[in-house]
């Protein structure tokens, strides 16, 4: 009986340790891992000519600068719902980071740039917006659902990652993690 309890206890420790590694994004140094998140290789995306944005390119994450990236879709009702919270976060802390919203829609192909600009205008977007038509940045940042956001520190490491809608305060707290990283 004691051996069964011992084995059950050891299995529980293993499960909890594995869950901790998943929750924190890695294995602690003491167990042979590294606490530092992986470096995200930057990619250059086309920007969309929309309110607060400009036509051209942007490199994300920005080299040597904290970056906040919001992933959205024009087809996504929760993405539109959280635009006021994003707008307020941008107004309050946007100067401290490169603040960008990114769509993975096929802009310039099945979705026109004007469609994105109209959606942006209708939802009071007033910061940089870019198109990740190959979804390469989304893959590098492990984006699996929309809306999603990532706060990346100046060294190119993700310090905050989330999916779903959030409040202004939650966005600001996530951005602060990248600023403190």
């Amino acid at each position: 009986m004691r051996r069964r309890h011992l084995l059950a206890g050891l299995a529980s420790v293993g499960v909890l340790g594995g869950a901790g590694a998943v929750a924190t994004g890695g294995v602690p140094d003491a167990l042979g891992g590294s606490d530092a998140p992986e470096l995200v290789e930057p990619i250059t995306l086309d920007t969309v000519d929309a309110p607060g944005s400009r036509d051209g390119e942007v490199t994300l994450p920005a080299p040597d600068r904290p970056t906040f990236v919001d992933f959205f879709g024009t087809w996504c009702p929760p993405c539109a719902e959280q635009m006021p919270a994003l707008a307020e976060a941008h107004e309050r802390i946007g100067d401290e980071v490169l603040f960008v919203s990114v769509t993975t829609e096929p802009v310039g192909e099945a979705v026109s740039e004007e469609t994105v600009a109209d959606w942006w205008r209708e939802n009071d977007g007033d910061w940089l917006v870019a198109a990740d038509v190959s979804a390469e940045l989304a893959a590098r940042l492990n984006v699996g659902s929309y809306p999603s956001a990532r706060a990346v520190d100046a060294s190119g490491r993700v310090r905050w990652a989330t999916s779903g809608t959030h409040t202004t305060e939650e966005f600001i707290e996530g951005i602060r993690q990248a600023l403190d990283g």
Side-chain angles (χ1 to χ4, degrees):
M1 196 66 116
R2 288 179 145 178
R3 194 164 100 180
R4 190 174 357 175
H5 288 136
L6 176 64
L7 290 174
L10 289 173
S12 296
V13 168
V15 168
L16 290 173
V22 169
T24 61
V27 177
D29 288 332
L31 299 176
S34 171
D35 285 337
E38 282 189 41
L39 206 59
V40 177
E41 186 70 28
I43 183 171
T44 300
L45 302 176
D46 290 332
T47 56
V48 176
D49 189 9
S53 188
R54 58 176 161 63
D55 190 21
E57 295 179 335
V58 64
T59 300
L60 301 173
D64 302 321
R65 183 173 182 200
T67 306
F68 174 77
V69 185
D70 158 59
F71 287 90
F72 76 97
T74 59
W75 46 265
C76 168
C79 298
E81 289 170 22
Q82 80 172 8
M83 286 293 285
L86 284 166
E88 187 175 340
H90 176 257
E91 186 176 307
R92 288 175 45 192
I93 201 166
D95 292 344
E96 298 178 48
V97 297
L98 176 59
F99 198 103
V100 185
S101 286
V102 173
T103 182
T104 57
E105 294 172 90
V107 178
E109 296 169 18
V111 175
S112 71
E113 186 171 320
E114 191 58 36
T115 298
V116 175
D118 287 346
W119 186 90
W120 198 245
R121 198 173 294 107
E122 289 166 13
N123 290 285
D124 299 322
D126 193 27
W127 56 91
L128 194 59
V129 62
D132 181 19
V133 296
S134 68
E136 191 171 342
L137 178 65
R140 290 179 188 185
L141 293 174
N142 298 315
V143 172
S145 62
Y146 295 82
S148 283
R150 304 293 186 265
V152 183
D153 69 17
S155 72
R157 289 176 166 74
V158 175
R159 296 299 177 172
W160 184 70
T162 188
S163 294
T165 57
H166 294 282
T167 66
T168 299
E169 294 307 318
E170 289 170 323
F171 285 127
I172 289 174
E173 177 57 34
I175 293 168
R176 291 250 180 256
Q177 290 181 41
L179 292 170
D180 296 340

